[in-house]
Amino acid sequence: MQTPLSLDTVVVDRYCILKILHQGAAGWVYLTIDQTTKGFCVLEEVCADSNAIAFLQAQFNELFAVLKLREVAHYQGTIVEFDRLYLVRDYAEGHSYRELFEQSRISSEKEVMRFLRQVLLILRSLHRREIVHQNLSFNSIVQRLDGSLMLAEFTQASFVEQEFDADLFAVAVMSIVFLTGCEPKELYDEMTQTWKWRDRTTVQPRLAQVLDRMLSPHLQHRYPSAAKVLQALFAPHRPDFASIVFTFVLIGLAAISAYRMINHLSNLQPVLEASPIAIDAASTPQEKPKETIQQRSKRLGLNSDLLNQIINDSTGTQTAEKLINQLEPFSQEARSAMGTYKRADYNTWLTKTEISDRAIELLTDAQFVSRFPDQKGKVLNPRTFGQIWYAIARDQITKIQLETLPARGTLRNGVGKVYRSQFKQGQTLKLNLKSDSITVWIFSADTTLLKSFDQSSWTGKVSRSGSYEIVIVPSTTSAAQYELSIETSSTSK
């Protein structure tokens, strides 16, 4: 989670930023001019841990080799600068569907059917190549000047075998938004976990049924592929003989069961019932019924739909109970707002703390990885695990306090600490650390002295006077004991 680059910034001495287009699922998206070719390019940022960048580059290059479709943006490759990874693609003239939606919020059923056919045909081609986009939105779908569609922002795309649900679900949400002119949050009923859109528009029953199935809260009820949705929407209706036969079989079985029950009852003999023994209910202990997952999530103020999305995004590493256990320690305020967090909220929180945004990011990353180690090095979906990251950041900013050196103590649950000291140019610093599970950073607003350090001692010279933050975070999920001190020498003459 990083702040956007400023206009006129030149990335890798080549791409000059002309405009910040929007915030994507994995980072910021920029319109740039290639100072080598003088042509326009788009940079799609992928926020990732520095240790994962090389792996991601290889993964994206493999993906680009397969993405040879006219309906997909042409990607030139990847670039890296200052631990930021960017996908570079050609600029295509046209309008994003966000722009089209803002111009005319409500679309006709005919227009939505055309949109569905075009997008689903592209997805069918991708899914047959075992590629899932995972980031479909109004911003990632562009209508070229000739009316054809183009998919972009493959920052979260990956190779899968069967899990195409995220793409189809996103297409269905966009469709009901087009039909009603309402944003998703206006259409989703959190109490019933269903989409309330039918009373806001009128469409043919066939389209309504298909969209409802695509939006079903039960994954097993949704369509397994884009090809199946295309068939359901556009294939001619045929009699469902299998359903007819199945119905008659059920009727026959019910009749047989009824006949056997009647014979059984007729052979029963009356029996003498013993008088019931009165039991004092007050004298028997009553066990308190175990709280259900639904009751617990409601008590904690958690959005059930968000929980389901996070579980689906975890690819099998999370269950509802395990996830709720991880979220319960958060403050009520942080938990209840999950699902609504945006980058703008985070930027607002940062204005209310004296600690730098870099320190907050380090502290938040450490606590997040402590709770969700399987997500380490991965690009966070801002709609799922990104919401957890924001909730942790919110609590960090609310609770964190600056401390003074030297210090000793124990760090637990991934929670780090921040210290601040004034250093002068030319001073020699000697850091002493007693711990085998602590990582240290030392930096100011414009200078980094120490990065991800985990050894017992370090000596270095201050290159610029200023106020420096010393951030320590545990590198283990268990309790981490430490002692930390920094000795300073006089500035050089």
Side-chain angles (χ1 to χ4, degrees):
M1 301 291 179
Q2 296 175 323
T3 55
L5 300 177
S6 303
L7 298 184
D8 296 327
T9 299
V10 179
V11 182
V12 296
D13 295 326
R14 179 170 177 177
Y15 302 96
C16 180
I17 295 178
L18 302 178
K19 181 180 180 181
I20 301 173
L21 295 178
H22 57 269
Q23 184 180 14
W28 297 92
V29 181
Y30 307 94
L31 175 64
T32 71
I33 186 167
D34 185 340
Q35 295 185 335
T36 301
T37 66
K38 306 304 180 184
F40 293 114
C41 293
V42 175
L43 300 187
E44 299 172 359
E45 183 181 36
V46 180
C47 293
D49 186 274
S50 58
N51 297 324
I53 288 179
F55 170 78
L56 289 173
Q57 276 189 291
Q59 188 177 54
F60 281 121
N61 289 332
E62 182 182 355
L63 179 68
F64 297 159
V66 182
L67 284 178
K68 302 300 183 182
L69 298 172
R70 182 186 181 277
E71 299 84 5
V72 170
H74 177 260
Y75 284 88
Q76 301 176 14
T78 61
I79 57 174
V80 177
E81 184 172 74
F82 301 123
D83 289 339
R84 292 193 183 200
L85 172 63
Y86 304 91
L87 312 186
V88 184
R89 66 174 169 88
D90 293 349
Y91 171 74
E93 289 192 71
H95 301 281
S96 70
Y97 264 83
R98 169 56 62 185
E99 295 174 297
L100 297 175
F101 178 66
E102 295 299 337
Q103 293 172 9
S104 177
R105 295 187 70 86
I106 298 180
S107 301
S108 67
E109 180 178 354
K110 183 178 180 180
E111 291 171 324
V112 171
M113 289 291 283
R114 186 187 307 116
F115 166 79
L116 280 167
R117 181 188 289 273
Q118 289 180 291
V119 175
L120 289 169
L121 286 173
I122 301 173
L123 290 179
R124 185 178 67 178
S125 297
L126 289 176
H127 294 173
R128 284 175 175 174
R129 290 168 170 79
E130 297 185 347
I131 298 173
V132 60
H133 188 283
Q134 297 190 121
N135 183 27
L136 287 179
S137 67
F138 288 151
N139 286 319
S140 63
I141 303 177
V142 177
Q143 186 180 74
R144 295 188 180 100
L145 296 182
D146 63 2
S148 64
L149 298 193
M150 180 190 79
L151 299 191
E153 296 187 31
F154 280 75
T155 51
Q156 292 189 296
S158 60
F159 292 97
V160 297
E161 293 184 0
Q162 293 180 331
E163 299 178 0
F164 307 118
D165 172 73
D167 289 350
L168 302 178
F169 181 81
V171 171
V173 172
M174 285 187 281
S175 297
I176 63 174
V177 169
F178 281 136
L179 288 167
T180 62
C182 302
E183 295 288 351
K185 63 182 179 181
E186 302 176 66
L187 301 173
Y188 186 71
D189 187 334
E190 294 187 3
M191 295 294 295
T192 61
Q193 298 184 30
T194 56
W195 294 86
K196 304 293 186 180
W197 65 276
R198 287 214 190 187
D199 58 344
R200 296 174 182 262
T201 187
T202 302
V203 297
Q204 294 296 320
R206 186 177 189 178
L207 174 58
Q209 291 168 6
V210 170
L211 291 176
D212 280 342
R213 182 173 172 182
M214 295 173 75
L215 296 168
S216 172
H218 308 290
L219 296 180
Q220 66 272 23
H221 293 166
R222 298 180 186 174
Y223 294 99
S225 66
K228 290 294 185 182
V229 182
L230 285 167
Q231 183 180 16
L233 279 174
F234 301 105
H237 280 296
R238 296 178 181 176
D240 190 352
F241 292 107
S243 298
I244 295 173
V245 172
F246 183 66
T247 301
F248 277 106
V249 170
L250 287 179
I251 293 173
L253 290 174
I256 293 171
S257 298
Y259 174 77
R260 289 178 176 175
M261 180 62 72
I262 292 172
N263 285 340
H264 175 69
L265 292 175
S266 65
N267 292 328
L268 291 177
Q269 298 297 325
V271 295
L272 181 64
E273 294 185 358
S275 300
I277 301 175
I279 299 178
D280 184 3
S283 65
T284 60
Q286 300 292 318
E287 290 188 7
K288 185 178 180 180
K290 184 178 179 180
E291 191 177 32
T292 66
I293 293 294
Q294 291 78 9
Q295 291 171 334
R296 189 179 175 197
S297 62
K298 185 176 181 180
R299 172 175 59 82
L300 296 175
L302 295 169
N303 183 316
S304 297
D305 182 58
L306 175 63
L307 295 181
N308 290 332
Q309 292 179 29
I310 294 173
I311 293 170
N312 293 339
D313 199 18
S314 71
T315 62
T317 61
Q318 292 291 330
T319 64
E321 184 174 8
K322 182 179 178 182
L323 179 59
I324 291 175
N325 287 341
Q326 296 286 17
L327 301 179
E328 187 166 11
F330 296 1
S331 69
Q332 179 69 25
E333 294 77 11
R335 284 196 308 264
S336 60
M338 285 174 56
T340 66
Y341 290 132
K342 297 179 181 179
R343 182 72 190 194
D345 300 318
Y346 177 68
N347 291 339
T348 300
W349 304 334
L350 290 175
T351 63
K352 301 177 182 179
T353 180
E354 58 179 330
I355 298 173
S356 70
D357 56 344
R358 184 178 180 185
I360 293 296
E361 287 184 7
L362 288 171
L363 296 170
T364 304
D365 286 344
Q367 192 176 153
F368 177 85
V369 171
S370 173
R371 296 184 180 279
F372 303 94
D374 56 292
Q375 295 296 312
K376 184 176 181 179
K378 294 184 179 180
V379 178
L380 301 186
N381 183 338
R383 297 187 295 272
T384 54
F385 281 100
Q387 293 295 306
I388 299 177
W389 192 96
Y390 279 131
I392 294 173
R394 180 175 181 173
D395 278 347
Q396 290 277 11
I397 292 172
T398 302
K399 301 175 182 178
I400 194 68
Q401 293 181 343
L402 283 171
E403 304 198 25
T404 57
L405 291 174
R408 66 169 58 188
T410 303
L411 302 183
R412 296 182 174 85
N413 301 320
V415 179
K417 291 181 179 292
V418 182
Y419 304 87
R420 182 170 290 169
S421 292
Q422 293 286 336
F423 299 137
K424 295 181 180 180
Q425 183 176 355
Q427 275 186 324
T428 299
L429 308 183
K430 184 179 180 182
L431 179 144
N432 300 299
L433 175 64
K434 292 183 180 180
S435 176
D436 57 0
S437 51
I438 292 291
T439 306
V440 183
W441 282 260
I442 303 178
F443 51 81
S444 65
D446 51 15
T447 304
T448 299
L449 294 180
L450 198 58
K451 178 180 179 181
S452 192
F453 181 79
D454 59 2
Q455 305 301 312
S456 60
S457 64
W458 169 86
T459 301
K461 184 163 289 189
V462 179
S463 60
R464 183 174 297 182
S465 300
S467 176
Y468 285 78
E469 288 176 320
I470 301 95
V471 179
I472 63 171
V473 295
S475 54
T476 177
T477 56
S478 57
Q481 295 183 340
Y482 71 97
E483 290 185 23
L484 176 67
S485 64
I486 297 180
E487 302 172 11
T488 61
S489 70
S490 302
T491 57
S492 58
K493 300 293 184 180

